[in-house]
């Protein structure tokens, strides 16, 4: 109501595509994974939300541990499409000495979830997404391992307007 004629649309796209579209002005604002691999001097990012990464498992699994992860198979997003998330995971694997055995990769998260439900392996995902999982799956935290994922609002430093600034200012610091 404060901005008549303003239209807000949500589209799902890879972080790399979003960064490109922000720089060209094809999109005004994006919400993306905040990570060192997702930086560009033409794009400003403001962290707005963080969550712990957990392990997606079939509902029948009661608990996970670092030792269990060392002996498990994993289904994960293809690096080409999940580049920043995979880079975040790669860094998170170093401290506990994890080297997950990746047996399958997929482009789409729903395909990954289906493969986990089919018993092909486990996967890593933000714990805050627990309510959006298929009924056959759940997300569990891993004791003694608490990697974080942060989502940032991003916008072009060049293509910026008063309306976009007002939208950004509506988000808490």
């Amino acid at each position: 109501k404060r901005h008549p004629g303003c239209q807000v649309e949500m589209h799902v796209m890879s972080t790399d595509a979003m960064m490109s579209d922000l720089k060209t002005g094809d999109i005004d604002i994006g919400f993306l994974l905040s990570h060192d691999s997702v930086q560009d001097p033409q794009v400003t990012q403001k962290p707005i939300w963080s969550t712990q990464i957990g392990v997606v498992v079939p509902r029948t699994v009661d608990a996970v541990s670092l030792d269990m992860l060392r002996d498990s198979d994993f289904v994960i997003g293809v690096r080409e499409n999940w580049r920043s998330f995979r880079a975040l995971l790669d860094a998170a694997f170093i401290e506990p000495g994890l080297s997950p055995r990746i047996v399958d990769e997929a482009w789409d998260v729903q395909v990954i979830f289906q493969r986990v439900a089919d018993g092909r392996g486990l996967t890593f995902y933000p714990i805050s997404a627990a309510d959006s999982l298929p009924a056959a799956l759940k997300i569990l935290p891993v004791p003694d391992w608490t990697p974080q994922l942060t989502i940032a609002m991003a916008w072009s430093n060049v293509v910026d307007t008063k309306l976009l600034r007002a939208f950004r200012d509506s988000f808490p610091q």
Side-chain angles (χ1 to χ4, degrees):
K1 291 183 179 183
R2 289 177 22 194
H3 303 287
C6 178
Q7 180 178 339
V8 176
E9 296 179 12
M10 297 290 287
H11 299 272
V12 176
M13 63 179 64
S14 73
T15 300
D16 290 339
M18 191 178 309
M19 289 293 282
S20 175
D21 286 356
L22 285 166
K23 290 190 298 185
T24 63
D26 288 342
I27 62 173
D28 298 314
I29 294 215
F31 297 90
L32 47 77
L33 175 66
S34 179
H35 187 266
D36 290 343
S37 66
V38 186
Q39 300 296 319
D40 189 289
Q42 295 178 345
V43 176
T44 298
Q45 296 184 28
K46 174 184 175 183
I48 58 169
W49 167 76
S50 291
T51 185
Q52 182 178 338
I53 295 172
V55 178
V56 178
V57 298
R59 280 234 171 253
T60 55
V61 175
D62 293 324
V64 294
S65 67
L66 286 171
D67 286 338
M68 176 195 170
L69 298 184
R70 288 183 181 98
D71 294 329
S72 296
D73 292 337
F74 287 89
V75 179
I76 237 164
V78 294
R79 196 171 292 275
E80 181 179 344
N81 195 47
W82 292 70
R83 182 181 62 81
S84 54
F85 187 66
R86 293 281 299 264
L88 184 146
L89 288 176
D90 290 346
F93 294 153
I94 293 171
E95 184 182 330
L98 290 176
S99 182
R101 187 173 50 243
I102 299 170
V103 296
D104 200 357
E105 296 177 313
W107 279 85
D108 182 77
V109 69
Q110 295 305 320
V111 173
I112 294 169
F113 290 159
Q114 184 59 52
R115 291 177 183 171
V116 172
D118 290 343
R120 293 189 193 179
L122 310 176
T123 198
F124 300 96
Y125 212 65
I127 286 178
S128 59
D131 292 342
S132 64
L133 286 178
L137 302 176
K138 64 183 176 183
I139 298 178
L140 296 174
V142 181
D144 303 318
W145 189 63
T146 57
Q148 297 288 308
L149 174 145
T150 298
I151 298 296
M153 179 173 21
W155 61 92
S156 169
N157 298 331
V158 177
V159 186
D160 199 8
T161 65
K162 182 178 177 182
L163 177 62
L164 292 176
R165 287 188 294 280
F167 178 80
R168 293 192 309 263
D169 290 345
S170 69
F171 284 80
Q173 295 290 2

